[in-house]
Amino acid sequence: MGQDIFSLFQLQRKKLLCLIAITFALILAFQYFELPYGNFLPVQTSNSNSSSTSSFHVADSPSASEILYNNVTLLNQTNLEENPIEKVNDTTSTTGLVSEPGRVESDGPGRYDNNTIGVNLTREVQAIAPTYLTPPPTTLEYDGPGHYDNNTIGMNLTREVQAIAPTYLTPPPTASPPIIVLLNDSEVTGSMNDERFKPLKDDVNVIESNSTITTVPKETKDSVVKVPEVTTISEMQKLLFQNYASYRSMRPRWSSTVDQELLQARSEIENAPVVTDVGNLHAPLYHNVSMFKRSYELMEKTLKVYVYREGAKPIMHLPYLLGIYASEGWFMRLMEVDKQFVTKDAKKAHLFYIPFSSRMLEETLYVANSHTFRNLRQYLNNYVDTIAAKHSFWNRTGGADHFFVACHDWAPMETDQRMANCLRSLCNADVKEGFVFGKDTSLPETYVRNAQNPTRGLGGKRISSRKTLAFYAGGIHGYVRPILLQHWENKDPDMKIFGILPHSKGNRNYIQYMKSSKYCICPKGYEVNSPRVVEAIVYECVPVIISDNFVPPFLEVLNWESFAVFVLEKDIPNLKSILLSIPRKRYLQMQMRVRKVQQHFLWHRSPVKYDIFHMILHSIWYNRVFTARTR
C-alpha cells in the first residue's frame, strides 16, 4: 500500500515538472517574439582635464534620464506616502505594448546627490517583479528639471534584484544589469520657485523700466546642484566624436533596406575624399569640410522622411512662426510641405517626423501655477501609444529613427519618457540636463519678427563703423544676467550693457546696437539657450557666448571656436580684458567668418541649399547615420 502511494506521488511530481517546463518554454517563446528591448548601456564617468573634475553624459555613459527609464528604477515607498505630490498613479497601456518598467518622476525640480542613492529593496519591490510581462502597474513621474550625476547611480545588485531578473526571461547578451535608485523624499520635490516656472515672456525688449543690479542674488540650496562643473566647447567636440565611434541605437527588431543604406552612407562619409572645390563653403568654419559636403550630398540624394498625419491641432501640425520659438514652427511648416525629402511610403523612410509644437503644447495644456509637466508628458506618451498601435514603424527601432524639433525650454523634460530614444532637436541643449551627444542635436533659437520676410534687416555696419566694443540688452532672467549687469552696466563707455531698452518700433534700438557693435554678448537666461546667438550672426556681430554647458547648434560639423568667443560664467568680471586680448587680426577673421556662416542660420519661405532648414535636417540625418544599426 505504501509503495503504491509513493509511486503515485512520483508520477504526479513528474507531471508537475513537465507542466512547469512547458509553461516556461511558452513564456520564453512569447518573450522572444513579442517583447522589444530598449538600449542597455553601461554607466561610466569621464573626467575632464580641466582644473575641476567633471562627469559627462557621453555615449558610453548615457544621460541619467535614459539610465532611469531604460533600467529598473525604484522609489522609496514611504517617501511617496509622506508626500502627496509623489503618489503613485496606476497607468496601463491601451495599445497592448509593453511599457518601460519603473520610470521615476517627481512634481518639482528635484536635485539628486550621492546621499539620495540606495540599493535596498523592500517587499513591495519584490511584489512588482512578476508584472514586467505586462505594463507595470505603477509609473512614477519626475516632473521637474532634475539633474543627475553618474556618480549618483548605484551599481550594486542584491539578491532581491536578481529575483526580478527572471521576469525579463531572455535579455540581450550585452545588457547591463538593472540599476536600482531610491530617492530621498526631501530632495525629490525640489523647489516650486524654480525660475523655469515663472511666467513666460519674450526674451528681448519687453516693455519694462530699466533695472540696475547692485547686488547678485544669493544662491539658494535649490540653485546649487551637484552636477558636472563645466564642459567646454573643446571637450564637447571631443565627446561628440567619441560618441560617433561608440554609441549605437537599439538594434531593429526586423531588417529593412534602409538600415543598409544608412550604413553605406556612414562608410562614404567616413571615407570622404578630400575636396578642394567646396563652392560657397568656407573650409575653416567646419571640422572637416570634405565630410560635411559628402554627407550633405548623400542627404540630398538618399534621405526620405515619413511625416505622421496623426494628431490634432493646435499641438500637432500647427506651426508657430513668430517670436523666440519660431524655429520649431518654421521647420514644421517647411517639412510638412516638402517635396524633396518627404515620402508617403514609410518602408522607404530613414527618418520619421513627429510634428508637434512644444510651444503650443505648453500654451494648450499647461495649468498656470501648477508647477508640473505631468499632463504635457502624458499627452506625448499617449501620442506615441497611438502611432505605435496604428503603425509598426515605432516598434521596429523603439523610436530610434524618429525625431522631433522643439524649442520651448521645457521640451527636454516633456520628452524624456517614451520619446527619450528619439533623435531630439532641442533649443535647450544643456549638457547637464540629459542632452546625449551623438543622438540629440542643438536647435538654433531664432527670433522671427516678420513671417512674410524672416530675413528682413539682414546684415550690419562695416567694421570701421562698429564703435562699440560689446553690447547686451534684455530681460534679467536667470542668475548669469544679474552678474553681468552688476559688473558692467553703466561701468564702461566701451561696454554697452543694459537691462531692457526703452520700446522702439520693431526693436530698432536693439537691432541698431547689434549692427554697430564688434561683439554681441549672449548670456544664458532661464536656460542655456538664447536667441541672441543667431541674432548676432544675422547682424554680423561676433557672438560672445556666456553659458556654461550650452551645446551650440550644428556642432556636428561647425567649428564654433573659429567664429565665436566662449567666456565661462565665472570670468564675467574679466569680460572686457578677454575681448581686448583678442588681436585685431583675429577679430577681423572671426567677423568675416560670421558673415560666411550666416547662410546656415537663415529662414527662407522656400528653402535654399545650406540654409537653416537644411542644416537642422542634416544634423538629424548625420546623427542617425552614425547611430544606426542593422539586425
Side-chain angles (χ1 to χ4, degrees):
M1 183 67 179
Q3 184 66 30
D4 292 340
I5 293 175
F6 181 78
S7 299
L8 182 60
F9 175 79
Q10 289 287 84
L11 179 62
Q12 292 300 326
R13 188 178 68 170
K14 290 180 180 179
K15 288 182 178 180
L16 180 59
L17 291 175
C18 289
L19 181 60
I20 293 173
I22 292 171
T23 303
F24 189 74
L26 288 174
I27 295 175
L28 279 175
F30 177 82
Q31 177 80 358
Y32 179 79
F33 289 107
E34 294 297 328
L35 293 183
Y37 293 103
N39 294 335
F40 289 80
L41 296 174
V43 177
Q44 299 178 359
T45 57
S46 298
N47 296 329
S48 73
N49 294 326
S50 59
S51 58
S52 60
T53 302
S54 301
S55 299
F56 308 111
H57 297 299
V58 298
D60 292 333
S61 174
S63 68
S65 58
E66 291 181 310
I67 294 171
L68 290 174
Y69 303 143
N70 289 337
N71 296 279
V72 182
T73 309
L74 306 170
L75 191 65
N76 190 319
Q77 187 70 22
T78 58
N79 294 344
L80 295 176
E81 295 174 355
E82 292 171 3
N83 190 341
I85 296 179
E86 303 297 325
K87 292 290 185 183
V88 178
N89 298 319
D90 290 334
T91 15
T92 55
S93 172
T94 58
T95 65
L97 298 176
V98 177
S99 301
E100 295 176 9
R103 290 178 179 154
V104 172
E105 297 184 354
S106 78
D107 278 359
R111 307 297 191 229
Y112 306 89
D113 58 27
N114 293 338
N115 296 327
T116 66
I117 302 305
V119 292
N120 297 320
L121 296 177
T122 62
R123 293 178 181 177
E124 288 82 356
V125 174
Q126 296 171 352
I128 295 175
T131 67
Y132 285 106
L133 293 178
T134 58
T138 58
T139 299
L140 310 179
E141 296 193 11
Y142 164 64
D143 276 318
H147 300 281
Y148 311 87
D149 188 336
N150 290 340
N151 295 329
T152 67
I153 306 301
M155 295 298 294
N156 297 322
L157 298 178
T158 63
R159 293 179 180 177
E160 288 82 358
V161 180
Q162 296 168 355
I164 297 176
T167 63
Y168 289 103
L169 297 181
T170 54
T174 59
S176 296
I179 297 173
I180 283 62
V181 181
L182 300 182
L183 305 180
N184 185 305
D185 62 333
S186 65
E187 295 291 319
V188 149
T189 55
S191 169
M192 292 302 178
N193 296 321
D194 187 90
E195 62 187 12
R196 76 188 68 217
F197 292 111
K198 292 180 180 178
L200 301 173
K201 297 180 181 179
D202 280 351
D203 202 27
V204 224
N205 295 330
V206 180
I207 306 174
E208 292 179 3
S209 60
N210 288 347
S211 171
T212 302
I213 304 297
T214 57
T215 59
V216 180
K218 185 178 180 181
E219 287 187 329
T220 64
K221 177 182 177 182
D222 292 314
S223 68
V224 179
V225 187
K226 293 183 179 179
V227 293
E229 292 295 328
V230 177
T231 308
T232 66
I233 183 67
S234 299
E235 290 166 341
M236 289 180 193
Q237 292 169 353
K238 292 177 183 177
L239 291 172
L240 179 63
F241 298 148
Q242 289 171 4
N243 284 14
Y244 283 145
S246 60
Y247 181 86
R248 294 293 181 273
S249 63
M250 169 182 161
R251 189 182 298 279
R253 293 181 63 194
W254 59 86
S255 298
S256 171
T257 56
V258 299
D259 300 328
Q260 293 296 335
E261 291 171 352
L262 290 171
L263 290 184
Q264 177 63 29
R266 174 172 180 164
S267 176
E268 292 191 39
I269 295 169
E270 290 178 328
N271 298 287
V274 176
V275 292
T276 54
D277 181 13
V278 293
N280 63 337
L281 300 177
H282 185 58
L285 290 173
Y286 309 93
H287 299 302
N288 186 319
V289 69
S290 299
M291 287 181 65
F292 169 59
K293 190 171 186 295
R294 184 59 184 144
S295 176
Y296 193 96
E297 291 169 349
L298 288 169
M299 179 185 76
E300 290 183 311
K301 175 184 175 182
T302 308
L303 177 60
K304 294 300 176 186
V305 179
Y306 182 85
V307 180
Y308 284 106
R309 300 302 175 186
E310 288 78 12
K313 296 180 179 180
I315 297 173
M316 302 287 174
H317 312 290
L318 185 63
Y320 198 92
L321 301 179
L322 292 173
I324 61 175
Y325 305 108
S327 288
E328 66 180 25
W330 274 88
F331 184 89
M332 183 191 299
R333 175 185 178 274
L334 297 175
M335 190 79 257
E336 291 202 308
V337 300
D338 181 79
K339 303 297 183 184
Q340 178 180 2
F341 299 106
V342 172
T343 178
K344 294 182 179 180
D345 185 355
K347 293 181 180 179
K348 296 180 180 179
H350 305 87
L351 291 168
F352 295 81
Y353 174 47
I354 301 176
F356 91 95
S357 165
S358 62
R359 167 62 167 170
M360 298 309 298
L361 178 69
E362 177 270 331
E363 264 194 7
T364 306
L365 296 182
Y366 179 67
V367 179
N369 301 316
S370 65
H371 307 299
T372 177
F373 305 121
R374 181 172 296 164
N375 58 329
L376 284 68
R377 274 197 179 113
Q378 191 58 51
Y379 182 92
L380 295 178
N381 291 347
N382 292 343
Y383 183 81
V384 170
D385 287 342
T386 298
I387 61 176
K390 186 174 181 179
H391 308 287
S392 62
F393 322 135
W394 178 278
N395 299 322
R396 193 181 83 88
T397 63
D401 53 2
H402 287 55
F403 76 95
F404 59 84
V405 174
C407 201
H408 196 278
D409 287 350
W410 299 350
M413 286 71 73
E414 294 164 351
T415 60
D416 61 1
Q417 290 189 343
R418 293 295 304 278
M419 301 172 76
N421 287 335
C422 292
L423 299 154
R424 307 186 305 168
S425 184
L426 304 167
C427 284
N428 186 6
D430 189 343
V431 174
K432 298 189 298 181
E433 296 201 6
F435 185 91
V436 182
F437 286 105
K439 180 181 75 70
D440 298 336
T441 68
S442 178
L443 176 67
E445 183 173 358
T446 56
Y447 195 113
V448 176
R449 295 180 171 86
N450 188 317
Q452 297 302 315
N453 183 13
T455 59
R456 189 176 68 177
L458 181 68
K461 294 184 178 181
R462 295 175 299 178
I463 291 177
S464 59
S465 299
R466 292 180 178 264
K467 304 300 183 182
T468 300
L469 176 64
F471 164 71
Y472 166 79
I476 313 305
H477 304 152
Y479 64 87
V480 168
R481 297 181 187 182
I483 298 173
L484 177 67
L485 265 67
Q486 180 197 26
H487 286 280
W488 295 109
E489 184 181 31
N490 299 322
K491 299 292 177 64
D492 191 303
D494 293 332
M495 306 285 285
K496 304 296 184 183
I497 308 297
F498 310 109
I500 298 169
L501 290 174
H503 177 67
S504 60
K505 185 176 181 180
N507 290 311
R508 193 171 299 153
N509 293 340
Y510 176 83
I511 293 173
Q512 288 305 312
Y513 268 116
M514 277 204 153
K515 286 175 175 281
S516 59
S517 299
K518 296 178 181 177
Y519 297 97
C520 288
I521 311 302
C522 309
K524 66 177 292 184
Y526 290 149
E527 302 295 348
V528 292
N529 49 298
S530 168
R532 286 169 185 77
V533 177
V534 175
E535 283 182 323
I537 294 172
V538 167
Y539 300 129
E540 299 173 0
C541 181
V542 175
V544 179
I545 300 173
I546 309 177
S547 180
D548 293 352
N549 300 305
F550 170 56
V551 182
F554 313 142
L555 184 64
E556 300 81 15
V557 295
L558 289 183
N559 177 15
W560 274 81
E561 290 179 293
S562 70
F563 61 90
V565 179
F566 290 82
V567 176
L568 297 178
E569 294 167 10
K570 68 180 180 64
D571 290 332
I572 288 176
N574 304 319
L575 180 58
K576 183 177 181 180
S577 61
I578 290 172
L579 298 180
L580 290 177
S581 70
I582 299 173
R584 176 174 172 76
K585 181 179 179 181
R586 171 65 175 160
Y587 165 74
L588 295 175
Q589 187 182 61
M590 285 194 295
Q591 205 272 343
M592 178 269 293
R593 290 174 179 172
V594 165
R595 287 184 278 115
K596 295 287 187 181
V597 82
Q598 191 182 73
Q599 64 173 326
H600 296 322
F601 293 90
L602 302 180
W603 290 108
H604 301 279
R605 293 185 62 81
S606 296
V608 300
K609 192 179 182 73
Y610 296 130
D611 71 354
I612 190 171
F613 169 76
H614 287 102
M615 290 297 290
I616 293 170
L617 189 59
H618 177 267
S619 285
I620 297 164
W621 147 264
Y622 196 81
N623 279 7
R624 180 57 186 156
V625 164
F626 278 85
T627 58
R629 303 176 69 184
T630 59
R631 182 65 184 170

